[in-house]
Amino acid sequence: MSEFKRNVELLTSSQQQLLRVISQSGPHSRTVLAASMGLSKAAMSGIARDLIALGVLRETETIYGQGRPSILLDLNPEGAFFVGISLLEDPAPLVLSDFNGNIVARQTMPLSRDPEVIATLISEALPKLLAERTDAARKLSGLGVALSGFVDERQESCVKSTLLGWQDVPLARLIRQKTGIETFIENDAKAVAVSEKLFGIARDIRNFSVVSFDNGIGCAHFIGGELYRGNHGGAGEIAHCTIEPNGSPCRCGKRGCLDTVASLKAIKEMAKTEGLGQSFNWLETEASLGNAAAIRILHRAGSALGLAIAHLIQFNDPGLILITHVEGRFDGLFGTVMRQAAEANVLPRYAGQTPIRTQHVDGDVWARGAAGIAAHNFLIGSTP
Ligand SMILES: [Zn+2]
């Protein structure tokens, strides 16, 4: 696989800083970039020239304003490519993403719980993925893996994953050894948050939280423009905040966690217990027709999620709460109750101050997030 490896360490810290500034603030002229990085324009031009030669940076539109025309520098979407893999599904999707987060190729591989087997499966699936875009393969600049669980701050080891049954598994190293590609792993919701910061609607927002609504509820925070990991990689785990004291048992061993009331899985299980259909959309339709049991389930779940989001707002005062969901919808009773509960449970001066946006995402969300982790590390450089 070594022919696919691109030596990330070839980028100097100044080059990485320039790429990072453009990634965070968009295209700018050399003059503006030099000022923001505290460099002379000559030094700035030298760095830019090298990055343009590497194909990572490109000159874009010319702005005709007062004075001389100005050429803007932007990331070249085709300048670097990243592999993203999600270990949340079986078969596990692999995607190839450009520098803008656009997916240009995709494959799948079987999921295993054995880390060594996973590394082998990835090394076997990669040539098929890269064969779809041989030009991209030459510019491959990293590989990211998203999984359910806690990950250490070096994005090297899975500290704990209940879903995969892992404790202290050095997955990134195993994959790196098999593929020769710089590899980073990350918790699923954190990967989505990084991807939204790099490529999505949170690009210009320094403080925001992502809540991923799925069979489990994931959560991650950017604070001051940086992903906030916490001391053990577990920051933001609202799924296991107790929301109903002495409530239903949770797979984590506690009772009454948010996950037991408000996750898609919990909603479907409550519907099953009530003898109802288990499609989320079906429940919403029934609730709109006055089905008392459907109303009760969606109300209970929406209230719990709204209460947890109110806590998030109260703790962090974010500029945005972004709820991503593959399944389900937020334009019915569940979403309405969630918003009402969030509003009702924050201090009155906070009420209505924090935008809560919901975003329907496709099934690529986790793999794209994983590719975002690789892109993020390409921009910030390897953690020592
Ligand atoms: Zn729990």
Side-chain angles (χ1 to χ4, degrees):
M1 292 302 302
S2 57
E3 71 269 30
F4 297 124
K5 185 184 177 187
R6 186 183 211 186
N7 196 344
V8 176
E9 290 78 22
L10 282 176
L11 294 184
T12 66
S13 60
S14 302
Q15 288 171 336
Q16 283 176 329
Q17 191 188 355
L18 175 56
L19 293 176
R20 198 162 57 242
V21 168
I22 295 173
S23 159
Q24 288 170 349
S25 61
H28 285 296
S29 69
R30 287 175 173 79
T31 309
V32 171
L33 290 165
S36 73
M37 288 172 63
L39 295 171
S40 69
K41 195 172 173 198
M44 172 71 244
S45 296
I47 298 167
R49 188 172 55 241
D50 292 344
L51 286 172
I52 289 169
L54 281 170
V56 183
L57 209 60
R58 66 174 180 177
E59 294 182 326
T60 60
E61 60 193 295
T62 309
I63 300 297
Y64 294 97
Q66 290 181 330
R68 289 193 301 169
S70 173
I71 296 166
L72 305 185
L73 294 174
D74 198 3
L75 302 181
N76 180 4
E78 306 255 306
F81 291 83
F82 306 92
V83 173
I85 301 161
S86 161
L87 299 184
L88 282 89
E89 303 134 87
D90 188 8
L94 295 85
V95 300
L96 185 62
S97 148
D98 70 14
F99 220 164
N100 276 349
N102 301 311
I103 292 173
V104 299
R106 50 162 58 77
Q107 284 286 329
T108 57
M109 64 173 215
L111 184 63
S112 167
R113 285 184 161 210
D114 182 328
E116 299 265 6
V117 172
I118 287 177
T120 302
L121 288 167
I122 291 173
S123 70
E124 288 169 358
L126 271 176
K128 284 183 274 179
L129 179 75
L130 297 171
E132 294 182 37
R133 282 289 301 263
T134 48
D135 58 324
R138 286 194 301 276
K139 300 173 186 170
L140 185 58
S141 302
L143 185 154
V145 179
L147 54 84
S148 166
F150 290 1
V151 167
D152 72 334
E153 64 181 335
R154 298 180 67 223
Q155 299 175 305
E156 179 82 17
S157 290
C158 174
V159 178
K160 185 167 177 58
S161 171
T162 308
L163 195 70
L164 292 161
W166 290 354
Q167 194 145 3
D168 296 320
V169 172
L171 184 65
R173 177 166 57 79
L174 296 174
I175 296 171
R176 206 177 291 128
Q177 283 170 352
K178 287 277 185 195
T179 65
I181 300 170
E182 194 67 344
T183 299
F184 299 92
I185 67 173
E186 189 51 280
N187 162 271
D188 46 9
K190 288 186 175 66
V192 172
V194 168
S195 170
E196 288 297 331
K197 179 71 180 150
L198 270 182
F199 311 128
I201 65 170
R203 185 169 172 173
D204 301 325
I205 304 175
R206 288 176 62 75
N207 304 302
F208 69 94
S209 294
V210 165
V211 175
S212 58
F213 174 76
D214 207 327
N215 279 327
I217 295 173
C219 191
H221 315 288
F222 263 77
I223 296 177
E226 302 286 338
L227 179 69
Y228 181 65
R229 315 186 59 80
N231 218 30
H232 308 92
E237 279 293 315
I238 61 168
H240 299 286
C241 287
T242 304
I243 212 86
E244 289 186 348
N246 303 314
S248 309
C250 180
R251 63 192 159 91
C252 74
K254 299 202 301 129
R255 280 182 170 273
C257 297
L258 181 66
D259 242 16
T260 67
V261 187
S263 67
L264 197 55
K265 186 162 178 263
I267 291 170
K268 288 178 175 178
E269 280 176 2
M270 287 190 284
K272 189 178 178 185
T273 305
E274 298 266 6
L276 301 175
Q278 290 160 60
S279 144
F280 187 95
N281 287 347
W282 185 89
L283 273 181
E284 279 285 4
T285 305
E286 281 297 300
S288 71
L289 295 172
N291 182 321
I295 291 172
R296 193 166 58 244
I297 291 166
L298 292 174
H299 204 280
R300 183 180 171 197
S303 299
L305 185 58
L307 181 57
I309 286 174
H311 292 335
L312 272 186
I313 294 170
Q314 203 70 52
F315 286 150
N316 289 343
D317 185 21
L320 172 72
I321 303 265
L322 176 65
I323 303 178
T324 63
H325 60 107
V326 177
E327 213 184 311
R329 40 185 264 231
F330 283 78
D331 59 351
L333 180 65
F334 176 69
T336 303
V337 172
M338 180 274 291
R339 287 179 188 278
Q340 286 170 348
E343 291 268 315
N345 287 287
V346 292
L347 274 174
R349 70 185 164 91
Y350 283 116
Q353 298 287 308
T354 307
I356 301 174
R357 287 184 61 170
T358 60
Q359 180 168 274
H360 183 261
V361 289
D362 61 27
D364 288 329
V365 60
W366 310 113
R368 185 187 291 111
I373 289 300
H376 180 69
N377 279 283
F378 179 71
L379 288 169
I380 64 168
S382 303
T383 310

